[in-house]
Amino acid sequence: MSCFRRIVKTMLLLAAAVTLAVLPLHTVQADELLSSSVYIIDRDNEVLTGVSAGTSAARLVSCFENDPSGIKLYGRDNKAYTGNAVATGMKALLVVNNIQRDELQIIVHGDVNGDGRITITDYTKIRLHILSHQKLNGAFALAADVDKDGRVTLSDYTRVRLHILGLKHINPDKLPLAGCVIGIDPGHQRHANNELEPIAPGSSTKKKKVSSGTQGRFTRVPEYVVVLKVGLKLKTQLEELGATVIMTRETHDVNISNVERALMMNKANVDCWLRVHINGNNDPKVYGMSVLVPAKGCMNTKDASVQQKSTALGQILVDCAAAESGAKNLGIKPRSDQTGFNWSSVPVCNIEMGYMTNEKEDRLIITDVYQDKIIAGLVKGFLEYFSE
Ligand SMILES: [Zn+2]
């Protein structure tokens, strides 16, 4: 080594030593990092995975263990994001006392183009990557590795296809309702069916196949419209948490009797199902939320635990939905005259979200804001029911 080089080397070592002495010893505290029991944090890549397509910013923030006020989401345009579809390539930041403590890039498996959805475009992008026509990089390559084996292969391509076809959800593990099968029956339909059917197997007592339901005394909005809207929104949220959801109807133009609705749920062997209704009363002063549950001994099974589970579910749902929406909690009401209960061999209950004959509840129940509060309560209720 020449003399000059030796001097340079000594100076560099000296500079390094000085730098080390000047820098304060700073160890990162655990509470200075983002942490989540719902999502997976990969510190090697500094990414957050396990996020389902269609997750809202609010829900994502609520799934961190940190104080939500310190969590900021930024879109790929570096603007604060508060929308309804968190996408691959966005960032979650932890900011405490105006100092950024942590940053993770968000990976939505299957969302390869960063639009927050899993569509045919993502499927095509994965194909082009596999064929080496157009390589995916960084977060987008990680999002394409749906089976998490570290490579983007035909297996990922197939899984994205199955997801798009609705045959197999991409992100089934780690979600709190993974493996749960929930039925939702939005009550009534556009046209009542006044033909009769037995209210229980072998019963001589008969009721209308599908009654017309109630209608807003003040808003004139029919019950069947509101309950379908609530049912579909609830479906989306439960699916986001990993549940498989079976709907009795997704449009108004069906003709499915109450016996048929129960038999659909029996056949699908759902873990439980919820009938969604709104009440009516001649007295406009009557208001409040209740849940009807099957009375003892009237279900389509000899297994007494099915009725007990129905009652437990009903109690949890009415308590959570009333608490979240601020509705008056009228509790659970055991009934033996409900065709949908008597034919069911799986746990079931029926929420009556309020009274459309009461002016205040009629005007509230048709708004998205109020519906979303009820739905948030129902989601909490299902999480509690399935955690027991
Ligand atoms: Zn009804």
Side-chain angles (χ1 to χ4, degrees):
M1 200 183 278
S2 73
C3 184
F4 175 72
R5 277 195 177 179
R6 206 173 300 140
I7 291 166
V8 169
K9 197 184 167 193
T10 311
M11 282 173 71
L12 282 174
L13 281 171
L14 208 66
V18 168
T19 311
L20 278 174
V22 168
L23 276 178
L25 280 176
H26 182 86
T27 45
V28 177
Q29 299 295 309
D31 60 359
E32 293 184 352
L33 294 176
L34 287 161
S35 76
S36 172
S37 57
V38 176
Y39 300 120
I40 304 147
I41 294 173
D42 168 359
R43 286 285 165 199
D44 291 340
N45 294 304
E46 292 292 323
V47 295
L48 179 81
T49 70
V51 182
S52 292
T55 300
S56 66
R59 178 166 296 282
L60 187 88
V61 168
S62 75
C63 289
F64 284 102
E65 312 272 277
N66 312 76
D67 177 358
S69 66
I71 299 169
K72 315 280 174 216
L73 297 185
Y74 286 93
R76 284 161 59 207
D77 54 2
N78 280 324
K79 289 185 182 146
Y81 183 77
T82 54
N84 285 320
V86 171
T88 295
M90 287 187 180
K91 284 172 190 156
L93 269 58
L94 180 66
V95 180
V96 182
N97 298 328
N98 290 322
I99 299 167
Q100 183 183 322
R101 303 292 188 176
D102 196 14
E103 175 180 328
L104 294 170
Q105 201 165 26
I106 296 163
I107 308 293
V108 176
H109 279 125
D111 171 28
V112 176
N113 66 345
D115 68 352
R117 299 178 302 145
I118 301 171
T119 63
I120 205 84
T121 315
D122 302 299
Y123 175 61
T124 309
K125 281 189 171 274
I126 292 176
R127 191 167 63 98
L128 292 174
H129 176 90
I130 293 169
L131 295 172
S132 292
H133 285 321
Q134 201 183 315
K135 282 289 182 188
L136 295 163
N137 297 305
F140 303 101
L142 291 172
D145 180 19
V146 173
D147 63 8
K148 304 168 198 111
D149 68 349
R151 298 170 303 151
V152 180
T153 62
L154 269 181
S155 142
D156 302 305
Y157 179 63
T158 308
R159 288 181 69 158
V160 169
R161 193 168 70 98
L162 291 176
H163 181 94
I164 294 170
L165 293 172
L167 296 173
K168 196 174 172 210
H169 200 278
I170 269 182
N171 249 339
D173 39 331
K174 287 279 177 185
L175 293 173
L177 292 178
C180 304
V181 185
I182 301 172
I184 300 175
D185 173 31
H188 313 282
Q189 55 202 25
R190 192 185 304 278
H191 300 292
N193 181 343
N194 293 330
E195 289 169 32
L196 300 178
E197 63 184 3
I199 68 159
S203 171
S204 57
T205 310
K206 292 185 177 179
K207 266 170 87 167
K208 284 177 187 171
K209 285 190 171 177
V210 185
S211 64
S212 56
T214 189
Q215 188 185 34
R217 180 178 285 183
F218 305 87
T219 63
R220 312 311 296 170
V221 179
E223 177 189 353
Y224 70 80
V225 170
V226 181
V227 296
L228 181 60
K229 228 179 136 194
V230 169
L232 289 173
K233 284 195 278 188
L234 179 59
K235 171 188 192 268
T236 305
Q237 294 204 17
L238 293 172
E239 284 177 341
E240 207 175 273
L241 295 169
T244 300
V245 177
I246 315 274
M247 303 291 291
T248 54
R249 69 177 181 100
E250 295 194 45
T251 70
H252 300 311
D253 299 302
V254 294
N255 187 10
I256 313 169
S257 81
N258 285 318
V259 171
E260 288 165 342
R261 292 174 195 226
L263 296 181
M264 272 171 83
M265 294 299 154
N266 294 349
K267 196 174 170 208
N269 195 25
V270 295
D271 291 311
C272 60
W273 61 296
L274 176 65
R275 309 174 68 206
V276 184
H277 286 257
I278 316 170
N279 235 329
N281 196 294
N282 288 332
D283 181 355
K285 290 197 284 295
V286 175
Y287 70 99
M289 178 187 285
S290 60
V291 167
L292 313 181
V293 297
K296 264 185 196 157
C298 67
M299 293 188 74
N300 190 9
T301 169
K302 288 194 172 72
D303 180 355
S305 74
V306 177
Q307 187 269 339
Q308 288 158 6
K309 283 181 189 161
S310 304
T311 305
L313 175 67
Q315 188 70 62
I316 292 170
L317 292 183
V318 76
D319 288 347
C320 291
E324 204 69 27
S325 64
K328 181 164 82 167
N329 187 347
L330 301 175
I332 53 167
K333 298 178 175 174
R335 295 282 285 266
S336 55
D337 63 343
Q338 300 287 297
T339 308
F341 290 170
N342 300 341
W343 285 83
S344 181
S345 52
V346 287
V348 57
C349 64
N350 176 336
I351 185 163
E352 298 285 349
M353 298 184 286
Y355 283 83
M356 291 193 98
T357 43
N358 174 266
E359 180 162 10
K360 193 175 167 213
E361 285 195 331
D362 180 20
R363 297 203 190 281
L364 272 178
I365 198 77
I366 64 161
T367 67
D368 276 306
V369 172
Y370 191 68
Q371 289 169 10
D372 292 347
K373 286 180 186 169
I374 295 176
I375 293 163
L378 293 173
V379 169
K380 277 191 182 173
F382 278 112
L383 284 168
E384 194 178 324
Y385 176 77
F386 282 103
S387 71
E388 279 173 358

